[in-house]
Amino acid sequence: MTELSARAILDRLVAFPTVSRDSNLDLVDWVEDYLSGFGVSARRVYDATGKKAALYANIGPEVDGGIVLSGHTDVVPVDGQDWSTDPFTVTERGGKLYGRGTCDMKGFDALALAMVPVALASDLKRPLQIALSYDEEVGCIGAPPMIDDMVTHLPRAAAAIIGEPTMLRPVTGHNASIMIRIHVQGYEVHSSKLPEGVSAIHEAGRILAWVNDCNAAIQAETPDALSALFDPPFTTAHVGIIEGGTAHNITAKDCYLNVGFRSPAGDNPERHAAALEAFLDTLHATLRQRHPQAGISYARNFGVPGLKPEAEGTAEAIIRRLTGDNGTHVVTYGTEAGQFQERGYSAVVCGPGDIAQAHQPDEWIAVDQFQKGEALLRRVVGTLV
C-alpha cells in the first residue's frame, strides 16, 4: 500500500458524501482497503438495514492497555446552505481547508488513519485501535453497537480519545441528552362545534406549558458543583419541532412534537424525561375520557449519556501530558465519549478544529490545527512504544 499523507486521506474521505440519511459503505470500503494494504484487518458492525456500518481495527500487539482513536463517518446535510466551494471537495484557501466534514470530523478521522503506518513502523508494546462509527449526527446511534462489539473482540484499551473538534484541548465533560417524540391524537370536528371535538394542537399546548414550567423549576434550583462548570449550569427542556392540523376551521386530529432534554454532567436527564412521561400518561387518560379516539403516544428517539470527569482518568492524563493543557474544559454538546465511558473505557474528547465551524456552510478547519493534530497523534502513538 502506498502511504498517503493525512491531507490526501482527508481529500478521499470528504469526497464520500456520507450524509447521515445515506449509506456510508463506500467510505467504509475505502478505509477497509486502505487498512488491508498495510496488512491490518478490520471488523464491520452493520446497522439493521445493512446500508451503514461502523468499522474498527487493532494495530499492534493483541494485548490490553492500548489507545482508541475514535471518530464518526457521517456528516450533516448541505441542503439549503450557501457554499462558495464544492462541499465534497477539499479546497485550501487562506490557511483553511474547506469542505463538509473537514472539521466535524473527517479531519480527525484522516489523522487517525494516517497513524497506521506510523504505528506499524514503531515497536509498539500496546496497540493503537481505530474506531469509526456511523449516525453520530442523528443521535449517536451507531457507536453503542460498535463499542459493544469491540469489548467482545478486541483487547481492552486503557483510553479512548474521541476526536471531536476542541481546538486540541482536553475536554473531560459534556452534556447528556434525551429526545422524546410525541404524537397527540385529537378528534376532528368543525371548529364551530369545538366542544364536541378534541384539538390535538390545543392539547399539545399543555405539553408546551409543562416544558416552560419545567425550565422555570430547574433554573430555580442551585446547581451542584459539577454542573456549575457548564454554561448553562442546568438541564434545559426544548421543543424544536411541532407540526399538526389540516385547516383553520377543523379541530386538529394530529399534532407531533419533539421534547429534548440536555443535562450537564451533574444532572441526569432521565429524571426530567420520566417526569414528562408521567405527565403525558395522565394527559392521555384525560383525553381518552373526552373521546375514545383521542390520546397520546410517545417514544424516545435517542438518549446520549454525558461524559463525566474522571478522578485520575487515564485518557485525560495522557492528553494533558502530551498537550501541557491542565485547564478545566467542558462542553454543552454531546459526543460518543460518554458511550465509551458508559462501557468502561476511560474517555476524553480532544481533536483539531473549532466546533463553531461544524455544520456551517463553508465548513473549514485551519491548516495549522490539522498539522498540530497530526503532531499530537504522533505523540499519542509514541506513548504505546
Side-chain angles (χ1 to χ4, degrees):
M1 178 71 178
T2 301
E3 182 175 338
L4 298 177
S5 68
R7 169 59 196 278
I9 297 173
L10 178 63
D11 289 349
R12 296 300 299 270
L13 296 183
V14 170
F16 295 106
T18 51
V19 176
S20 303
R21 65 185 174 222
D22 300 321
S23 174
N24 73 336
L25 293 184
D26 286 346
L27 182 149
V28 170
D29 288 343
W30 185 87
V31 172
E32 190 166 32
D33 286 345
Y34 172 83
L35 293 172
S36 178
F38 292 105
V40 175
S41 61
R43 183 175 172 88
R44 297 189 186 197
V45 182
Y46 285 92
D47 74 345
T49 70
K51 296 179 180 179
K52 299 179 183 179
L55 177 144
Y56 64 83
N58 188 88
I59 300 99
E62 296 278 343
V63 298
D64 291 345
I67 295 175
V68 180
L69 302 180
S70 176
H72 60 81
T73 62
D74 59 318
V75 296
V76 297
V78 299
D79 307 35
Q81 293 187 335
D82 185 16
W83 282 73
S84 62
T85 65
D86 179 352
F88 297 110
T89 300
V90 178
T91 301
E92 183 171 353
R93 187 176 68 225
K96 300 174 182 177
L97 301 174
Y98 292 89
R100 174 56 85 222
T102 52
C103 177
D104 183 21
M105 63 178 300
K106 290 180 177 178
F108 181 83
D109 296 345
L111 296 176
L113 291 170
M115 292 304 105
V116 173
V118 176
L120 291 172
S122 304
D123 185 19
L124 296 186
K125 301 299 188 294
R126 293 173 291 124
L128 179 71
Q129 297 174 351
I130 294 175
L132 302 177
S133 69
Y134 60 87
D135 280 359
E136 190 274 348
E137 296 291 6
V138 290
C140 295
I141 295 169
M146 175 188 72
I147 303 168
D148 290 341
D149 205 72
M150 291 170 64
V151 170
T152 301
H153 294 97
L154 287 187
R156 175 57 70 107
I161 300 169
I162 289 75
E164 294 279 2
T166 69
M167 296 296 287
L168 298 172
R169 297 179 301 177
V171 166
T172 58
H174 68 61
N175 278 10
S177 61
I178 291 175
M179 179 72 75
I180 299 174
R181 174 70 167 169
I182 303 169
H183 175 201
V184 183
Q185 187 168 346
Y187 179 67
E188 286 181 314
V189 298
H190 193 277
S191 59
S192 64
K193 300 290 186 179
L194 181 67
E196 299 175 13
V198 178
S199 169
I201 290 176
H202 288 197
E203 299 307 322
R206 301 184 194 278
I207 301 172
L208 298 178
W210 185 95
V211 168
N212 286 330
D213 290 344
C214 176
N215 280 325
I218 292 171
Q219 293 174 34
E221 299 174 353
T222 300
D224 61 273
L226 183 54
S227 295
L229 299 173
F230 290 74
D231 181 19
F234 45 76
T235 295
T236 56
H238 175 249
V239 177
I241 297 175
I242 185 167
E243 54 188 352
T246 55
H248 76 279
N249 59 353
I250 301 174
T251 57
K253 180 182 178 181
D254 298 290
C255 187
Y256 300 89
L257 63 157
N258 289 340
V259 179
F261 299 92
R262 290 181 180 268
S263 297
D267 196 5
N268 184 353
E270 179 61 42
R271 70 181 180 110
H272 308 294
L276 172 60
E277 289 169 347
F279 172 78
L280 295 175
D281 290 342
T282 300
L283 183 56
H284 170 76
T286 300
L287 296 183
R288 277 295 164 91
Q289 290 177 351
R290 290 177 55 188
H291 196 281
Q293 294 183 22
I296 292 177
S297 59
Y298 58 87
R300 297 195 181 190
N301 279 13
F302 62 81
V304 180
L307 175 66
K308 296 183 178 181
E310 303 168 358
E312 301 180 358
T314 301
E316 175 184 348
I318 291 170
I319 293 300
R320 290 197 186 285
R321 183 170 71 252
L322 296 179
T323 63
D325 188 332
N326 292 312
T328 299
H329 307 295
V330 297
V331 294
T332 54
Y333 57 83
T335 79
E336 296 168 338
Q339 294 170 324
F340 274 93
Q341 188 180 68
E342 192 175 57
R343 287 158 175 79
Y345 288 83
S346 176
V348 67
V349 184
C350 183
D354 189 335
I355 193 65
Q357 309 308 325
H359 303 185
Q360 301 299 308
D362 284 350
E363 178 182 346
W364 56 269
I365 187 171
V367 172
D368 178 64
Q369 273 287 297
F370 191 66
Q371 293 171 341
K372 288 180 177 178
E374 181 174 6
L376 175 60
L377 291 194
R378 287 179 178 273
R379 296 195 295 274
V380 169
V381 173
T383 68
L384 299 172
V385 175

